[in-house]
Short mmCIF file of all heavy atoms in Angstrom, two decimals:
data_model
loop_
_atom_site.label_atom_id
_atom_site.label_comp_id
_atom_site.label_asym_id
_atom_site.label_seq_id
_atom_site.Cartn_x
_atom_site.Cartn_y
_atom_site.Cartn_z
N LYS A 216 -135.37 -113.29 120.14
CA LYS A 216 -134.08 -112.72 119.67
C LYS A 216 -134.13 -112.48 118.21
O LYS A 216 -133.27 -111.77 117.62
CB LYS A 216 -132.91 -113.63 120.02
CG LYS A 216 -132.63 -113.76 121.50
CD LYS A 216 -131.46 -114.74 121.73
CE LYS A 216 -131.16 -114.84 123.22
NZ LYS A 216 -130.54 -113.58 123.73
N TRP A 217 -135.09 -113.14 117.49
CA TRP A 217 -135.04 -113.13 116.00
C TRP A 217 -136.26 -112.38 115.41
O TRP A 217 -136.25 -112.18 114.16
CB TRP A 217 -135.01 -114.56 115.50
CG TRP A 217 -133.76 -115.26 115.86
CD1 TRP A 217 -133.51 -116.01 116.98
CD2 TRP A 217 -132.57 -115.27 115.11
NE1 TRP A 217 -132.23 -116.48 116.96
CE2 TRP A 217 -131.63 -116.05 115.84
CE3 TRP A 217 -132.19 -114.75 113.88
CZ2 TRP A 217 -130.31 -116.31 115.33
CZ3 TRP A 217 -130.92 -114.94 113.44
CH2 TRP A 217 -129.96 -115.74 114.14
N VAL A 218 -137.25 -112.07 116.20
CA VAL A 218 -138.38 -111.34 115.70
C VAL A 218 -138.64 -110.09 116.53
O VAL A 218 -138.26 -110.09 117.71
CB VAL A 218 -139.70 -112.23 115.65
CG1 VAL A 218 -139.46 -113.43 114.72
CG2 VAL A 218 -140.09 -112.70 117.04
N PRO A 219 -139.30 -109.08 115.95
CA PRO A 219 -139.56 -107.90 116.77
C PRO A 219 -140.48 -108.18 117.93
O PRO A 219 -141.41 -108.94 117.82
CB PRO A 219 -140.20 -106.95 115.77
CG PRO A 219 -139.81 -107.44 114.40
CD PRO A 219 -139.74 -108.94 114.56
N THR A 220 -140.15 -107.53 119.04
CA THR A 220 -141.02 -107.59 120.22
C THR A 220 -141.22 -106.15 120.70
O THR A 220 -140.43 -105.27 120.45
CB THR A 220 -140.48 -108.44 121.35
OG1 THR A 220 -139.22 -107.79 121.79
CG2 THR A 220 -140.19 -109.85 120.94
N SER A 221 -142.36 -105.92 121.38
CA SER A 221 -142.61 -104.52 121.83
C SER A 221 -143.50 -104.62 123.07
O SER A 221 -144.43 -105.39 123.15
CB SER A 221 -143.31 -103.73 120.78
OG SER A 221 -143.69 -102.46 121.24
N ALA A 222 -143.20 -103.75 124.03
CA ALA A 222 -144.10 -103.63 125.19
C ALA A 222 -145.33 -102.83 124.85
O ALA A 222 -146.34 -102.95 125.51
CB ALA A 222 -143.37 -102.94 126.33
N GLU A 223 -145.29 -102.05 123.77
CA GLU A 223 -146.41 -101.26 123.32
C GLU A 223 -147.19 -101.96 122.23
O GLU A 223 -146.59 -102.49 121.29
CB GLU A 223 -145.93 -99.90 122.80
CG GLU A 223 -145.17 -99.07 123.85
CD GLU A 223 -146.10 -98.50 124.93
OE1 GLU A 223 -147.32 -98.44 124.66
OE2 GLU A 223 -145.60 -98.08 125.97
N LYS A 224 -148.47 -101.95 122.28
CA LYS A 224 -149.30 -102.55 121.26
C LYS A 224 -149.26 -101.73 119.99
O LYS A 224 -149.47 -100.48 120.07
CB LYS A 224 -150.76 -102.70 121.73
CG LYS A 224 -150.96 -103.77 122.81
CD LYS A 224 -152.43 -103.94 123.13
CE LYS A 224 -152.63 -105.02 124.21
NZ LYS A 224 -152.32 -106.37 123.71
N ARG A 225 -149.01 -102.34 118.89
CA ARG A 225 -148.97 -101.67 117.58
C ARG A 225 -149.88 -102.40 116.66
O ARG A 225 -150.08 -103.57 116.73
CB ARG A 225 -147.54 -101.60 117.05
CG ARG A 225 -146.53 -100.96 117.99
CD ARG A 225 -145.15 -101.06 117.47
NE ARG A 225 -144.17 -100.55 118.44
CZ ARG A 225 -142.86 -100.58 118.24
NH1 ARG A 225 -142.38 -101.08 117.16
NH2 ARG A 225 -142.08 -100.11 119.15
N ASN A 226 -150.41 -101.66 115.69
CA ASN A 226 -151.29 -102.21 114.71
C ASN A 226 -150.67 -102.06 113.34
O ASN A 226 -151.26 -101.43 112.46
CB ASN A 226 -152.70 -101.57 114.73
CG ASN A 226 -153.42 -101.81 116.05
OD1 ASN A 226 -153.46 -103.01 116.48
ND2 ASN A 226 -154.00 -100.83 116.65
N ALA A 227 -149.50 -102.57 113.20
CA ALA A 227 -148.78 -102.43 111.88
C ALA A 227 -149.48 -103.27 110.87
O ALA A 227 -149.84 -104.44 111.08
CB ALA A 227 -147.32 -102.87 112.07
N VAL A 228 -149.66 -102.70 109.69
CA VAL A 228 -150.29 -103.40 108.56
C VAL A 228 -149.21 -103.47 107.49
O VAL A 228 -148.76 -102.47 106.94
CB VAL A 228 -151.53 -102.70 108.04
CG1 VAL A 228 -152.06 -103.42 106.85
CG2 VAL A 228 -152.55 -102.56 109.12
N ILE A 229 -148.82 -104.67 107.13
CA ILE A 229 -147.78 -104.90 106.16
C ILE A 229 -148.44 -105.64 104.95
O ILE A 229 -148.98 -106.69 105.09
CB ILE A 229 -146.62 -105.76 106.71
CG1 ILE A 229 -146.04 -105.05 107.94
CG2 ILE A 229 -145.56 -106.00 105.65
CD1 ILE A 229 -144.99 -105.83 108.65
N GLU A 230 -148.30 -105.02 103.75
CA GLU A 230 -148.91 -105.61 102.60
C GLU A 230 -148.22 -106.93 102.27
O GLU A 230 -147.03 -107.06 102.27
CB GLU A 230 -148.82 -104.70 101.43
CG GLU A 230 -149.69 -103.41 101.58
CD GLU A 230 -149.66 -102.54 100.34
OE1 GLU A 230 -148.98 -102.97 99.38
OE2 GLU A 230 -150.32 -101.47 100.34
N ARG A 231 -149.05 -107.90 101.93
CA ARG A 231 -148.53 -109.22 101.51
C ARG A 231 -148.07 -109.12 100.05
O ARG A 231 -148.79 -108.59 99.20
CB ARG A 231 -149.63 -110.30 101.67
CG ARG A 231 -149.04 -111.70 101.42
CD ARG A 231 -150.18 -112.77 101.49
NE ARG A 231 -149.60 -114.05 101.30
CZ ARG A 231 -149.45 -114.93 102.29
NH1 ARG A 231 -149.81 -114.61 103.52
NH2 ARG A 231 -148.91 -116.13 102.07
#
Side-chain angles (χ1 to χ4, degrees):
K216 294 178 178 291
W217 295 91
V218 299
T220 62
S221 175
E223 300 288 342
K224 289 184 180 291
R225 301 175 187 176
N226 294 315
V228 178
I229 302 174
E230 293 185 0
R231 189 185 182 104

